[in-house]
Each structure stands twice: as C-alpha cells, then as structure tokens.
C-alpha cells in the first residue's frame, strides 16, 4: 500500500499496481464539516491531473475534488453516493470516492508523502 497526498487535500492509494483509490483527507473532511452530498465522476471518464473530478457539499460549503493524477476512472463508491454522510466516518479508508487507473506514475511519485502532507496541512 502506497499512499500519497495532493496539495488540494486528496489522497491516493495504489495497492499492488491495481486501480488506485482516491478520496478526501481527514483535514479536508474536518474543514468541510458534515458532508451531505457527493457528485462522483462517471466510470470511463479520463481526467488530467488537476482537473475537477467530483464535488462534495457539506452543511458549511461545497468543494471540488481534484484528480491527483492523470488517469481513467474505473469505479466509483456507490455506497458513498447513496449515503454521502459516510464520508464523515472514514474519509481515509473505506469511504474513498473513486478508483482510477494511473496513466503517469511520475505524477504519482511527485505527490506529497505523509510527513510532507501533515506539515503542509498544518500550515493550510
């Protein structure tokens, strides 16, 4: 399991070179507050790094979920779509947003590791 983080507060987990799970970080969830709506991308859509792939709304605000790497969406978390409040429970685990086939591993390698993200998030 290899987890990296974007400066836009998304995490991506590549396990055994399969599709990588993408979600929002705990910092993002805490900043947003109670999540009430999630708009997930369509399966099969190809995104470039940095493009808006999803939208999350909370009782406080709405926020874009940016694609941390270029790739094709191969699965979405339908459970999260039907009950967006689950993203409040385990945003860094089973409440991932979508899975993507990474098309450029150099983009993945350039993302922040956990210590670098933790320091970044403390200053955000």
């Amino acid at each position: 399991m290899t987890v990296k983080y974007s400066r836009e507060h998304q995490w991506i987990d590549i396990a055994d070179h399969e599709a990588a799970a993408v979600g929002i970080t705990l910092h993002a969830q805490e900043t947003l507050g109670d999540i009430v709506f999630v708009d997930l991308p369509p399966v099969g859509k190809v995104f470039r790094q940095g493009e808006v792939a999803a939208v999350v709304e909370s009782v406080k605000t709405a926020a874009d979920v940016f694609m941390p790497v270029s790739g094709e969406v191969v699965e979405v978390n339908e459970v999260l779509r039907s009950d967006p409040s689950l993203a409040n429970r385990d945003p860094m685990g089973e409440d991932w947003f979508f899975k993507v086939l990474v098309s450029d591993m150099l983009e993945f390698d350039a993302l922040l590791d956990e210590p670098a993200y933790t320091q970044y998030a403390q200053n955000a």
Side-chain angles (χ1 to χ4, degrees):
M1 176 165 78
T2 303
V3 179
K4 294 276 195 154
Y5 302 85
S6 73
R7 294 184 186 280
E8 294 76 32
H9 306 288
Q10 280 81 56
W11 60 267
I12 180 168
D13 179 2
I14 295 182
D16 302 322
H17 300 288
E18 296 175 10
V22 176
I24 61 171
T25 64
L26 186 57
H27 174 80
Q29 187 280 321
E30 290 172 348
T31 301
L32 287 166
D34 292 332
I35 295 171
V36 296
F37 176 76
V38 176
D39 182 21
L40 299 172
V43 171
K45 181 147 172 86
V46 176
F47 291 91
R48 290 182 312 211
Q49 183 180 41
E51 289 185 315
V52 175
V55 176
V56 62
E57 293 181 14
S58 72
V59 294
K60 294 181 186 178
T61 188
D64 293 330
V65 177
F66 297 94
M67 184 63 80
V69 295
S70 299
E72 177 185 353
V73 175
V74 294
E75 185 179 352
V76 296
N77 190 341
E78 292 296 344
V79 174
L80 189 62
R81 187 191 311 262
S82 64
D83 187 0
S85 69
L86 293 175
N88 300 306
R89 182 189 64 196
D90 188 18
M92 293 289 300
E94 79 178 57
D95 298 322
W96 49 270
F97 280 44
F98 53 87
K99 292 187 178 179
V100 60
L101 289 177
V102 178
S103 61
D104 187 345
M105 284 303 294
L106 292 175
E107 291 176 351
F108 177 80
D109 293 339
L111 294 172
L112 302 171
D113 62 14
E114 187 171 0
Y117 176 74
T118 299
Q119 182 176 3
Y120 173 78
Q122 288 174 349
N123 297 321

